Amino acid sequence: MNKEKMIDKKKLSGAEILIKALKGKDIKVIFGYPGGAVIDIFNLLYDTDIDFYLTRHEQGAVHAADGYARASGKPGVCIATSGPGATNLVTGIATAYMDSIPIVAITGQVPTSLIGNDAFQEVDTTGITRAITKHNYLVKDIDEFAQIIEEAFYIATTGRPGPVLIDIPKDIQQGKTSKIESGPINIPGYKPTLVGNMKQIKKAAEFIEKAKKPVIYAGGGIITSGASELLIKFAEKINTPVTTTLLGLGGFPGTHELFLGMLGMHGTQYANYAIMESDLIIAIGARFDDRVTGKISEFAPHAKIIHIDIDPASVGKNVRVDIPIVGDAKLVLKDLLKVVKPKKNEDWLKVVNAWKEKYPLRYEKKPNVVSPQYVVECIRDITKGNAIIATEVGQNQMWVAQYYKFDKPRTLLTSGGLGTMGYGFPAAIGAKIARPELPVFDIAGDGSIQMNIQELATAVTKNIGVKIVILNNGYLGMVRQWQELFYNKRYAATCLKTGALNPNKCKKVEMPLEYSPDFVKLAEAYGATGIRIYKNEEVKGAIKKALEIEGPVIIDCIIDSEENVFPMVPAGASLRQMIGGMA
Amino acid sequence: MKRIISVLVENKFGVLARVSEIFSSRGFNIESLSVGETLDSKLSRITIVVEGDNVVFEEIKKQLNKLINVIKVRDFTGVDHVEREMVLIKVNLSRKTRAELMEIVNIFRAKIVDVGKDAMTVEITGRDNKIQAFIELVKPFGIVEIVRTGKIAISRNKKKEENNG
Ligand SMILES: Cc1ncc(C[n+]2csc(CCOP(=O)(O)OP(=O)(O)O)c2C)c(N)n1
């Protein structure tokens, strides 16, 4: 070997640096879709033992990476080509951004010499994703590449997690460098605060001691930081009822006697009443989203607020906060537990428990249709809660939130912040790959499931046994519900049945061919199993049967077209104004 | 209320876009923005002047701090500081007006940087009110073109900022 070749041996191409770094980070699973601008990377992936999942749409890949991350707590990785591949990732990146999910998205880019030329399949990917990533990079110098990958994973997974995108021009993938290792990470502008200020924590403990009607309001931060067990200890020590956001579900056991269920627009009446009556709200890893607070000026009028969050920009953003504490939920709870005194709150719990009894979540089991709430309850019963549930967006999502008592963190995957239809199914695929030992369901609407139904091919070819339960009402149900309640039943563009242009026809339910598509046949077309049920008596059998089948299954549940999600706080109203509650 | 904010950032591509996007995505109009390297060539300082309400402004500062490449955000509202802006003004010139213009330039300690047959260019540096007064005085002569740097500011406090550069 001559000298030149020996030096060359120590050099790696950009694509090789990427693969080496991914292996070094113990990345075992990647979701994606190939194309000319990433062909060098795929060419190398081909020889690795990294499990690559070819989805049928880049949106499927990014949601699957997101579901993988939510179910496992590890970063999800997805890859797409330049231009249309990159733009197809956008919705999924935004979904992960809103819910603080760690994803590293890798995109190919045209060669650096062509950037800005409107080259074939060129878009300004870093520009397009700037507002929906925690950070993003365009690799311009191959010598910086190893360091960029290291930083990308670090930023995605630390502090308030979030998606990070790396855009890699083709010449960087092909070029060679001897700088193949990353150095220590030093980002002067990025130093997340993890430990809470002890003075503030002590002050919080004093407030808690004095409070007569405290409520804990927990969000997704509890799950992200792995603080669930500490939260249970904390709540039990101070005997304080706990309500969670949609993303906080599972962060506190759904069956715990201190649990109030979810609060907000479709929260329980007792959670909302408790918030409105409380004199102290202990918010942990939650951001006072408008779906939670209702009319903000009337939110919790008597309460002092303690706000614990890792993101200083979230603290005090939507509500005035009396004690802000910036830090990781787990570390802050640990410190708080040391200083807070045990407490009984007997009178307050009596009041809250009376509400619980008086205003329970209730639904009617109608004949000749399937009750969506009952489906959710049966899945929970049959799996004993030992399952992962993904949802789509709409009524299906809210019925899951209301009726599935999530006991463990990372068992609910749902698009909370962005509300992305089409999220659930690919996310369920990602979750099943992360936790193959658990049954994984996607509880879907007939509208949402069609947004990424092509991933049935991914599930079938890779034998990923996800169970899709379609709560089929023939409508874009949640929008139809708003039309019914606030738009005088003008069902504009929400009917999905055949003859949809004639709204009267949509009202009449004739089974099953009124429904489009025929989901059973569709499942079969993809090589999956389809089951259709029309009655509550069939629910348990169908779920059990689906669980016995190894591969993907669709259970098409024909539900009442005009079933609504109640209770409901109209958008912009105070949490006290709940309609459809069974008072 | 007008505010001046100074943002110390890593000197990397895309940073300026990120910083300005924080303002634009919240409907804030940036009145002026100037950027330059610091002593440390790896760092730049961006000085931004905006007008807007308190609550949103507080939010903007937090969001700026969240950006990975932002090292420090300083708000000069209520802080003892020196601020300056440089302006180049090209004014019409004729034999008749020459003397009068020169006098104004002298009074304001401005500098003539270029003189042509029928126009001259003046450089003036200073605070808002000085610049405004100068502009008002030369307006009647006919301003051909005006270019402003936007404001820069520095605190009077001797203490150096960390990562100052
Ligand atoms: C991508 C996307 N487009 C539109 C919406 C608006 N949207 C929210 S809920 C909903 C209806 C969902 O219908 P379906 O999936 O059938 O579920 P259902 O409410 O009937 O359970 C729509 C259209 C959205 N959230 N996401």
Side-chain angles (χ1 to χ4, degrees):
Chain A
M1 236 189 271
N2 64 26
K3 211 175 150 200
E4 223 181 275
K5 256 200 178 146
M6 277 186 46
I7 295 169
D8 222 32
K9 255 191 118 179
K10 281 188 213 137
K11 286 192 171 180
L12 291 183
S13 72
E16 285 167 330
I17 290 171
L18 177 66
I19 301 293
K20 178 175 171 308
L22 292 175
K23 285 182 142 184
K25 306 224 136 303
D26 204 26
I27 299 301
K28 299 213 165 74
V29 176
I30 297 179
F31 304 90
Y33 208 89
V38 283
I39 200 163
D40 292 275
I41 298 169
F42 276 87
N43 190 40
L44 294 180
L45 269 177
Y46 197 59
D47 295 325
T48 67
D49 52 9
I50 294 175
D51 264 329
F52 180 77
Y53 288 88
L54 173 68
T55 55
R56 296 318 192 253
H57 189 305
E58 287 87 353
Q59 194 185 346
V62 56
H63 288 325
D66 173 314
Y68 180 89
R70 291 191 208 221
S72 68
K74 293 185 223 151
V77 179
C78 61
I79 177 167
T81 192
S82 65
T87 50
N88 273 349
L89 292 181
V90 166
T91 302
I93 293 173
T95 304
Y97 182 68
M98 291 294 278
D99 290 350
S100 310
I101 305 304
I103 282 183
V104 174
I106 294 160
T107 46
Q109 182 55 279
V110 301
T112 41
S113 58
L114 291 182
I115 288 180
N117 281 9
D118 291 338
F120 177 63
Q121 294 197 331
E122 180 192 357
V123 294
D124 174 10
T125 305
T126 46
I128 288 173
T129 59
R130 197 179 294 129
I132 52 166
T133 48
K134 187 171 171 190
H135 196 55
N136 63 20
Y137 296 91
L138 169 61
V139 187
K140 298 211 318 201
D141 178 352
I142 188 171
D143 287 349
E144 290 172 0
F145 190 30
Q147 190 67 20
I148 285 176
I149 302 168
E150 191 66 26
E151 280 186 16
F153 276 91
Y154 177 71
I155 291 169
T157 53
T158 53
R160 178 178 182 172
V164 176
L165 180 138
I166 314 176
D167 198 28
I168 318 167
K170 186 154 172 137
D171 55 322
I172 301 279
Q173 294 170 38
Q174 293 174 333
K176 290 209 165 202
T177 179
S178 51
K179 282 210 165 176
I180 59 173
E181 300 283 350
S182 58
I185 287 182
N186 178 22
I187 313 167
Y190 181 65
K191 305 252 153 50
T193 308
L194 300 180
V195 179
N197 179 308
M198 206 55 214
K199 240 166 116 187
Q200 293 288 86
I201 291 175
K202 282 189 182 139
K203 213 161 123 198
E206 280 166 31
F207 270 51
I208 291 169
E209 204 177 315
K210 280 194 214 119
K212 296 221 157 56
K213 301 171 176 178
V215 178
I216 295 170
Y217 151 54
I222 291 290
I223 292 166
T224 313
S225 77
S228 301
E229 269 164 40
L230 282 175
L231 178 63
I232 299 170
K233 268 198 194 145
F234 175 64
E236 287 176 351
K237 185 167 179 185
I238 61 170
N239 262 302
T240 294
V242 179
T243 177
T244 73
T245 63
L246 176 62
L247 289 187
L249 289 172
F252 191 79
T255 48
H256 198 290
E257 58 173 10
L258 286 172
F259 191 52
L260 297 176
M262 183 173 78
L263 81 165
M265 183 175 276
H266 290 295
T268 62
Q269 275 171 289
Y270 37 97
N272 286 342
Y273 290 164
I275 285 285
M276 294 305 276
E277 276 293 303
S278 83
D279 63 355
L280 179 70
I281 291 174
I282 309 162
I284 314 172
R287 62 191 177 97
F288 296 90
D289 177 85
D290 52 276
R291 278 286 186 273
V292 157
T293 60
K295 191 171 183 182
I296 195 95
S297 58
E298 285 170 30
F299 177 75
H302 318 293
K304 294 253 185 300
I305 296 179
I306 299 169
H307 194 180
I308 301 166
D309 203 289
I310 197 159
D311 177 9
S314 280
V315 175
K317 179 173 169 174
N318 298 333
V319 292
R320 40 145 200 103
V321 167
D322 300 277
I323 307 183
I325 302 175
V326 175
D328 177 73
K330 193 170 171 183
L331 299 180
V332 173
L333 273 178
K334 209 180 254 171
D335 285 338
L336 189 53
L337 265 167
K338 280 186 216 146
V339 291
V340 82
K341 296 201 182 106
K343 199 165 189 288
K344 287 257 184 292
N345 293 324
E346 268 162 358
D347 294 343
W348 174 229
L349 284 175
K350 232 181 250 165
V351 174
V352 170
N353 287 334
W355 284 331
K356 265 187 174 177
E357 232 158 76
K358 191 162 171 206
Y359 310 109
L361 283 171
R362 258 188 282 179
Y363 65 91
E364 197 187 329
K365 270 196 213 159
K366 295 173 191 159
N368 300 323
V369 280
V370 177
S371 305
Q373 305 90 338
Y374 179 66
V375 174
V376 173
E377 286 179 336
C378 286
I379 294 173
R380 155 88 205 192
D381 279 354
I382 289 167
T383 61
K384 302 195 174 62
N386 249 330
I388 292 178
I389 309 295
T391 79
E392 301 294 338
V393 168
Q395 295 180 315
N396 59 85
Q397 182 182 33
M398 291 301 121
W399 283 319
V400 170
Q402 291 179 334
Y403 288 92
Y404 191 101
K405 295 189 165 57
F406 290 93
D407 273 333
K408 288 185 216 128
R410 303 196 177 283
T411 54
L412 167 64
L413 318 178
T414 194
S415 170
L418 197 67
T420 310
M421 290 172 71
Y423 167 80
F425 178 34
I429 290 177
K432 183 72 186 170
I433 292 162
R435 304 287 309 273
E437 75 284 5
L438 289 182
V440 177
F441 288 83
D442 173 36
I443 299 183
D446 49 329
S448 298
I449 192 63
Q450 295 187 61
M451 287 214 173
N452 277 311
I453 193 76
Q454 76 287 344
E455 299 311 332
L456 262 179
T458 310
V460 168
T461 51
K462 288 276 194 171
N463 200 27
I464 302 164
V466 172
K467 315 302 169 194
I468 301 171
V469 177
I470 300 175
L471 303 176
N472 191 347
N473 50 15
Y475 276 111
L476 299 173
M478 186 57 97
V479 181
R480 189 212 55 77
Q481 175 169 341
W482 284 46
Q483 288 168 333
E484 177 188 330
L485 298 175
F486 314 116
Y487 292 83
N488 205 14
K489 296 199 177 187
R490 288 161 52 82
Y491 295 160
T494 46
C495 181
L496 300 175
K497 285 177 235 171
T498 53
L501 287 180
N502 175 356
N504 290 327
K505 182 133 192 238
C506 205
K507 276 189 199 135
K508 204 167 116 250
V509 185
E510 269 166 37
M511 291 169 250
L513 289 175
E514 292 266 318
Y515 291 88
S516 179
D518 180 333
F519 286 110
V520 171
K521 282 194 184 143
L522 186 139
E524 284 160 4
Y526 275 102
T529 310
I531 302 168
R532 179 172 294 115
I533 56 172
Y534 301 97
K535 287 197 174 105
N536 284 321
E537 299 89 78
E538 298 170 293
V539 174
K540 285 196 165 150
I543 295 167
K544 284 183 184 150
K545 187 173 160 205
L547 284 170
E548 275 160 22
I549 296 167
E550 215 194 314
V553 178
I554 288 182
I555 307 177
D556 185 25
C557 310
I558 305 301
I559 68 169
D560 185 343
S561 301
E562 305 210 350
E563 181 75 35
N564 286 331
V565 182
F566 287 130
M568 175 183 197
V569 178
S574 135
L575 290 187
R576 254 189 244 286
Q577 294 161 269
M578 303 202 81
I579 45 176
M582 301 205 178
Chain B
M1 170 177 192
K2 206 164 271 185
R3 301 151 192 286
I4 303 184
I5 188 168
S6 164
V7 190
L8 188 66
V9 299
E10 283 188 273
N11 198 355
K12 288 194 170 156
F13 117 92
V15 177
L16 189 58
R18 286 200 177 93
V19 166
S20 56
E21 194 175 79
I22 298 281
F23 291 85
S24 60
S25 66
R26 285 165 182 78
F28 256 63
N29 193 12
I30 294 178
E31 218 159 88
S32 81
L33 185 154
S34 67
V35 206
E37 260 181 25
T38 63
L39 267 182
D40 179 347
S41 65
K42 287 202 208 80
L43 305 180
S44 286
R45 186 177 298 283
I46 307 175
T47 311
I48 304 165
V49 181
V50 290
E51 172 116 29
D53 87 84
N54 242 332
V55 180
V56 188
F57 191 63
E58 285 306 311
E59 157 82 4
I60 281 183
K61 282 197 285 181
K62 285 183 181 173
Q63 294 296 338
L64 285 173
N65 269 313
K66 247 178 104 162
L67 293 177
I68 305 291
N69 300 129
V70 167
I71 295 165
K72 186 153 179 120
V73 180
R74 288 195 76 182
D75 177 2
F76 282 112
T77 322
V79 172
D80 195 13
H81 68 278
V82 181
E83 53 181 78
R84 286 289 180 275
E85 180 174 17
M86 192 175 100
V87 183
L88 293 174
I89 304 174
K90 199 185 291 171
V91 252
N92 284 331
L93 197 61
S94 69
R95 207 169 278 159
K96 269 202 283 171
T97 57
R98 179 181 288 240
E100 201 181 334
L101 262 172
M102 297 285 244
E103 198 180 277
I104 297 173
V105 168
N106 278 334
I107 292 170
F108 276 82
R109 292 207 198 95
K111 220 159 92 190
I112 296 168
V113 288
D114 185 54
V115 185
K117 229 172 45 205
D118 47 8
M120 77 172 179
T121 302
V122 180
E123 169 196 320
I124 178 163
T125 310
R127 287 190 72 104
D128 242 6
N129 46 6
K130 175 179 165 186
I131 289 173
Q132 214 43 50
F134 182 80
I135 292 172
E136 290 306 323
L137 279 178
V138 296
K139 234 185 215 162
F141 300 92
I143 296 175
V144 182
E145 199 179 342
I146 185 164
V147 181
R148 316 178 65 141
T149 59
K151 247 178 234 168
I152 54 171
I154 199 163
S155 79
R156 288 187 200 273
N157 194 334
K158 189 178 165 201
K159 211 180 103 220
K160 239 177 87 166
E161 253 179 55
E162 75 230 64
N163 291 318
N164 192 352

